[in-house]
Amino acid sequence: MSVARVVSYAIAVGFWLATAVYAILSSQAFIVEQFLKPGLLPPVAFFSSHFELICPVALAAWAVPRAEAIRRRELPSVVTGVLWGGAASIALVLPALSTLEPGPAALGVAAMAFVAMLTLGWAEWTGRRDCEWTMPEQRPGADLVAVLVAALGANAIETGASLVTSADSISFADWGLGLRYDLLLGMVVFLVITLIRGLANMQRRPAAFETALSIGVIAAVWIWLIHDVVLASISWRGPDSWMISLLGGSAIAWTACARAVARRDSPSDGVATAVCGLAPRFAARPAGAVTWLLLLAGLAYALHRVSLIADWNFVVARLGVVLVWMGLLAGSLRAVRVAARVPLGFCFGASLIVLIAHSAVERVSADATPRTHAARWVGEILAPGSSGPAELFPLLLEHTNIGASVNVKAVDLQWAELETPPAGVRPNVFVIVVDSLRRDYLSAYNPEVDFTPSLDAFARESLVFKRAFTQYGATGLSVPSIWVGGPVLHKQYVTPFAPMNTLAKLLDHEQYVQWISMDNILDVILPASSRRPVLDQRVQVKDFRLCQTLSEMSSRLATRGANDPPVFAYTLPQDIHISVITREGGRPVDEGNYQGFHAPTASRVRRFDTCFGEFVADLERRGLYDESLIVVTSDHGDSLGEGGRMGHAYTLYPEIVRVPLIVHLPLAMRDRWTWDLDRPAYTTDVTPTLYRLLGHQLSASAPFFGESLVRPAGESAPMARDRMVAASYGSVYGAIVDSGRRLYVADAIQLREMAFDLGDGPMPGTPISPDPATRSQASKVIRDTVEGLAKLHGFSPSK
Ligand SMILES: [Zn+2]
């Protein structure tokens, strides 16, 4: 097999795999709204918008080295070529792939791409090449040595990659735990191989049976990975997800193994034959084995780096562990030829020793928790278990990422009647929601911060809500919940959304001129209005920067007349969004010393802090500062390395749900209102607060809605309510309980629970073990809110 043929096969498989991945991404409403439409994934955007060009190019790359087979009319090659040619022609007349929307079309494209992979494998299989090598007679001995080599190799590679990429050190005990897990996994693999060989020995053609069964097992591993790791992490369950997993797992295993499958009547080793496509031929030679080891180490290192910058529920990291393991196993099954004299009894004896040693150590160090990602994940593979409120998980799964095709009622929500004429005194309102800003990156919340002098000065003249939270761990639902003033149905989005947008109703009623940085979410949730000269008109969402937006506001303020209606301004600057920082090279933007902080973020916070200071100075110069209501908050926080986590989206951790919430009241309002800065405050309270300040009595549309952050002076505060929080793109829910002092999390993706003490200091929080009282209290809040929202919208998962 020539190198050209191998490369062209890889291009063909890669092309269809990329097509399938794109279609899977487009089948999820939240991914389309939050990642594809705003162009947050540039290579994906390039692929989808040039699909009709890439498709024939990839076809040509595949077909040229196979011209001979096609000329000979070999059926699989002809079928593959014709189908592919058909797809390429259809792609020319259909709308671009980038317009794919959630629904049957997206599922169809994904399924078609996997079928194309299956035919590629078929064509490769009939052009099968010889992939035999001499195996020792005593296979169990060779198998055992091979899995042990793979286990030790995997452990060395993953530990090395963790050491190089992570700031955390790895102790001897951490390493030992990982080694134990890898050895145990090795034993499981050994058992499976032995079983395959045993079953094959009962057949008439053992090698062929062994090969087929081994490919089946590899396919089963991929089906499970796609279903339980990839699709589960976007909370995609049900028959559709099984169909995609079955097709995808079979296609991946088949394209990887088919190339190498030897003649069906070959007397060779079937297991080794099946996996020989997973490791190159040179891995069988001593020098080649070292090269292969180094290549896999490089792969592990690269995937660790990628996972640290941006990963989705550790999907990249977890798939990486499996890939490295498979590559090592295939390589060592090829390379190990020395164990001919190891008797079968010794193999089982050795396995038994590993098991006994493991359970002995496990007993002494029962609550050892794995620190490296690989150890954590291998531990999960070996002992998949769940903790937490098992009865709550199905409810959460059913009520999360409700499909775009599911029709639910748009409800007319109201905080107040809005029948009176607009308020006499209406301050200008500026709402600045800095995407992903953590509270502990502002000196108002953390004395260690010395890079936010302007926001610090602003905070000293404002209300700084110490225990402030977002109800959603990512933009997709956090922003709508701010406009509604309460939690929203887990759907992107209920349409028309306007009846639920209580803030928009207030702004129209009070005749505010609305300066809004429109983005793909606001396009959906805001009703059309003639009162809206938009901000950042020709700027792409990912390029929204606070400095630029504030200077646009300042120049607009300069041209306003004395009798113009009041202004409401809203913007969601992307300065420190993880995708922006990654795109900008992941480096700080200045030379400052940000020890103890994530420098790329901190330096950008310093940059917009300066602009914010200039904006406040400008308001003061115009005599507007003391008459303006200014809110500085964020839509959620961000994980910046805690426990190896980066970013936000599908998780709930203290650093994600805690946000800054700083409210500057106009001077004239301060005497008439009172507030409690220690009381839990939520971004969903901003809208009810604006209603209250503009003179409206509140009546919430549902008991779980927000509340005003201020009340008339002299009035006492009602009891603080526990509230639900949730991830925007996954079935991970939580509750803030104990007057904002604890976060409880029920993770229906990983089927586990977590709890955190949020403390009184600047740090986000520390993990604690969830106690039954907290669990039942939090579960009730979560259940009541999820069911309440479903009831409000007439949504029932069974429909
Ligand atoms: Zn966001």
Side-chain angles (χ1 to χ4, degrees):
M1 165 129 355
S2 69
V3 175
R5 210 179 148 113
V6 175
V7 171
S8 84
Y9 185 62
I11 290 174
V13 171
F15 167 76
W16 285 113
L17 189 60
T19 307
V21 170
Y22 182 80
I24 289 173
L25 293 176
S26 327
S27 73
Q28 301 300 302
F30 77 91
I31 299 179
V32 172
E33 291 295 334
Q34 304 311 326
F35 298 90
L36 300 182
K37 281 190 186 165
L40 292 187
L41 308 166
V44 175
F46 180 86
F47 179 77
S48 63
S49 56
H50 295 80
F51 181 82
E52 67 280 7
L53 295 177
I54 299 172
C55 186
V57 171
L59 170 59
W62 173 82
V64 169
R66 288 165 184 78
E68 182 58 33
I70 296 170
R71 215 174 17 249
R72 280 202 310 268
R73 307 246 171 97
E74 279 181 20
L75 185 67
S77 298
V78 172
V79 168
T80 306
V82 167
L83 286 179
W84 197 341
S89 325
I90 295 171
L92 284 175
V93 288
L94 281 186
L97 190 68
S98 49
T99 58
L100 210 55
E101 293 268 338
L107 281 181
V109 171
M112 190 196 71
F114 285 135
V115 170
M117 284 172 71
L118 288 169
T119 66
L120 279 176
W122 180 33
E124 215 59 21
W125 176 63
T126 48
R128 56 195 175 252
R129 69 194 176 99
D130 208 332
C131 189
E132 294 168 54
W133 60 87
T134 33
M135 287 298 291
E137 274 173 24
Q138 286 284 349
R139 279 173 183 158
D143 289 342
L144 182 73
V145 174
V147 291
L148 286 180
V149 168
L152 294 175
N155 182 256
I157 285 180
E158 295 292 347
T159 312
S162 294
L163 275 175
V164 179
T165 52
S166 155
D168 297 336
S169 61
I170 296 169
S171 72
F172 189 70
D174 296 333
W175 171 76
L177 185 64
L179 180 65
R180 249 162 62 206
Y181 284 166
D182 278 320
L183 285 174
L184 276 174
L185 184 60
M187 291 305 114
V188 173
V189 173
F190 175 59
L191 199 72
V192 172
I193 293 178
T194 309
L195 207 65
I196 292 174
R197 293 204 194 285
L199 287 171
N201 268 336
M202 298 176 211
Q203 314 297 319
R204 260 190 318 127
R205 289 201 312 219
F209 185 86
E210 249 182 53
T211 307
L213 194 55
S214 305
I215 296 178
V217 169
I218 295 172
V221 169
W222 278 103
I223 291 168
W224 162 72
L225 280 172
I226 296 177
H227 188 262
D228 274 44
V229 175
V230 180
L231 300 186
S233 73
I234 51 175
S235 298
W236 184 9
R237 307 246 178 193
D240 291 355
S241 76
W242 272 116
M243 192 256 308
I244 291 295
S245 307
L246 277 168
L247 273 177
S250 314
I252 290 172
W254 178 234
T255 45
C257 299
R259 250 196 63 221
V261 174
R263 290 176 190 82
R264 271 166 292 178
D265 52 359
S266 152
S268 165
D269 176 326
V271 173
T273 305
V275 300
C276 83
L278 304 176
R281 193 178 285 241
F282 64 72
R285 294 189 294 271
V290 174
T291 312
W292 183 233
L293 206 67
L294 290 175
L295 282 175
L296 290 174
L299 174 73
Y301 171 76
L303 293 179
H304 269 252
R305 300 277 340 174
V306 170
S307 173
L308 272 179
I309 297 163
D311 200 348
W312 187 276
N313 215 5
F314 294 117
V315 166
V316 172
R318 291 197 273 176
L319 292 183
V321 172
V322 177
L323 281 175
V324 167
W325 237 106
M326 279 189 179
L328 278 166
L329 183 66
S332 63
L333 279 171
R334 272 203 154 175
V336 170
R337 298 150 186 249
V338 291
R341 308 231 160 261
V342 181
L344 192 60
F346 173 82
C347 298
F348 286 103
S351 320
L352 207 64
I353 290 171
V354 170
L355 279 177
I356 293 171
H358 168 74
S359 49
V361 179
E362 187 84 350
R363 199 153 299 167
V364 220
S365 57
D367 40 55
T369 43
R371 303 233 325 173
T372 65
H373 184 79
R376 201 155 43 223
W377 168 220
V378 175
E380 280 170 27
I381 296 176
L382 292 168
S386 69
S387 70
E391 71 293 346
L392 194 60
F393 293 146
L395 175 91
L396 300 182
L397 282 167
E398 284 169 354
H399 287 77
T400 303
N401 288 349
I402 299 168
S405 57
V406 179
N407 261 322
V408 295
K409 264 201 312 229
V411 194
D412 186 24
L413 299 181
Q414 304 206 337
W415 278 105
E417 286 297 329
L418 297 181
E419 275 161 358
T420 51
V425 181
R426 290 162 295 160
N428 293 324
V429 179
F430 300 92
V431 177
I432 297 166
V433 185
V434 183
D435 202 312
S436 311
L437 179 61
R438 285 167 59 136
R439 78 196 238 296
D440 55 337
Y441 275 59
L442 298 181
S443 52
Y445 289 92
N446 183 358
E448 299 287 309
V449 172
D450 62 1
F451 45 82
T452 58
S454 306
L455 281 159
D456 191 40
F458 167 74
R460 273 186 261 115
E461 293 159 349
S462 309
L463 317 181
V464 177
F465 290 92
K466 297 210 181 72
R467 297 179 180 281
F469 303 93
T470 171
Q471 288 200 260
Y472 291 97
T475 319
L477 294 177
S478 174
V479 164
S481 77
I482 293 173
W483 286 79
V484 168
V488 292
L489 198 67
H490 210 294
K491 182 178 196 299
Q492 304 197 19
Y493 293 97
V494 178
T495 47
F497 197 91
M500 288 155 309
N501 197 327
T502 61
L503 177 53
K505 289 180 190 174
L506 177 72
L507 299 178
D508 269 350
H509 173 76
E510 302 289 342
Q511 295 172 8
Y512 270 93
V513 176
Q514 298 158 36
W515 297 351
I516 293 175
S517 308
M518 292 297 289
D519 57 31
N520 53 306
I521 300 179
L522 295 181
D523 283 342
V524 178
I525 69 168
L526 275 186
S529 171
S530 55
R531 303 178 165 275
R532 199 173 297 141
V534 303
L535 289 168
D536 295 307
Q537 174 92 66
R538 260 171 279 282
V539 185
Q540 284 200 25
V541 179
K542 63 186 168 59
D543 298 327
F544 286 177
R545 295 292 178 275
L546 188 54
C547 289
Q548 189 183 313
T549 313
L550 289 178
S551 91
E552 190 180 345
M553 287 188 202
S554 288
S555 47
R556 284 193 190 182
L557 288 171
T559 61
R560 278 169 55 80
N563 294 322
D564 287 352
V567 170
F568 171 89
Y570 165 96
T571 187
L572 185 79
Q574 299 296 305
D575 296 66
I576 55 170
H577 194 276
I578 182 110
S579 67
V580 170
I581 291 182
T582 306
R583 207 171 321 113
E584 292 175 352
R587 285 181 297 273
V589 289
D590 60 31
E591 302 287 303
N593 171 19
Y594 300 104
Q595 193 145 35
F597 295 91
H598 182 248
T601 303
S603 61
R604 286 167 175 80
V605 172
R606 182 197 293 275
R607 185 173 62 185
F608 70 64
D609 177 81
T610 309
C611 298
F612 183 79
E614 286 161 10
F615 178 69
V616 167
D618 186 57
L619 288 178
E620 277 172 336
R621 253 196 316 278
R622 298 182 199 287
L624 294 173
Y625 182 59
D626 288 333
E627 294 168 12
S628 296
L629 182 83
I630 306 169
V631 179
V632 175
T633 184
S634 63
D635 54 347
H636 49 79
D638 221 0
S639 294
L640 295 174
E642 286 86 356
R645 305 185 289 271
M646 287 301 281
H648 58 275
Y650 47 81
T651 54
L652 285 179
Y653 288 101
E655 69 271 14
I656 288 175
V657 295
R658 306 193 77 173
V659 293
L661 181 54
I662 306 176
V663 180
H664 174 90
L665 285 183
L667 271 186
M669 285 182 169
R670 293 188 197 173
D671 299 337
R672 295 173 27 221
W673 301 95
T674 185
W675 47 81
D676 182 353
L677 300 178
D678 282 319
R679 193 181 159 80
Y682 295 80
T683 53
T684 42
D685 295 339
V686 170
T687 290
T689 306
L690 291 177
Y691 269 84
R692 202 79 177 91
L693 289 171
L694 290 171
H696 300 283
Q697 290 294 334
L698 297 180
S699 72
S701 298
F704 43 78
F705 268 50
E707 59 181 20
S708 173
L709 296 165
V710 299
R711 55 186 191 276
E715 199 174 278
S716 60
M719 282 268 290
R721 273 185 291 124
D722 297 340
R723 287 204 229 174
M724 182 201 79
V725 291
S728 282
Y729 315 133
S731 50
V732 181
Y733 287 73
I736 307 290
V737 296
D738 201 7
S739 300
R741 286 182 169 74
R742 275 177 191 221
L743 164 67
Y744 172 87
V745 177
D747 181 340
I749 295 176
Q750 315 250 352
L751 306 182
R752 60 170 183 184
E753 61 178 353
M754 299 183 285
F756 299 90
D757 181 354
L758 301 180
D760 291 310
M763 288 306 112
T766 43
I768 51 174
S769 60
D771 59 276
T774 305
R775 179 184 305 123
S776 76
Q777 193 181 345
S779 299
K780 183 172 169 11
V781 176
I782 297 169
R783 178 182 289 278
D784 288 352
T785 312
V786 169
E787 290 181 341
L789 281 164
K791 192 160 166 239
L792 193 65
H793 290 276
F795 168 70
S796 141
S798 54
K799 267 201 293 196

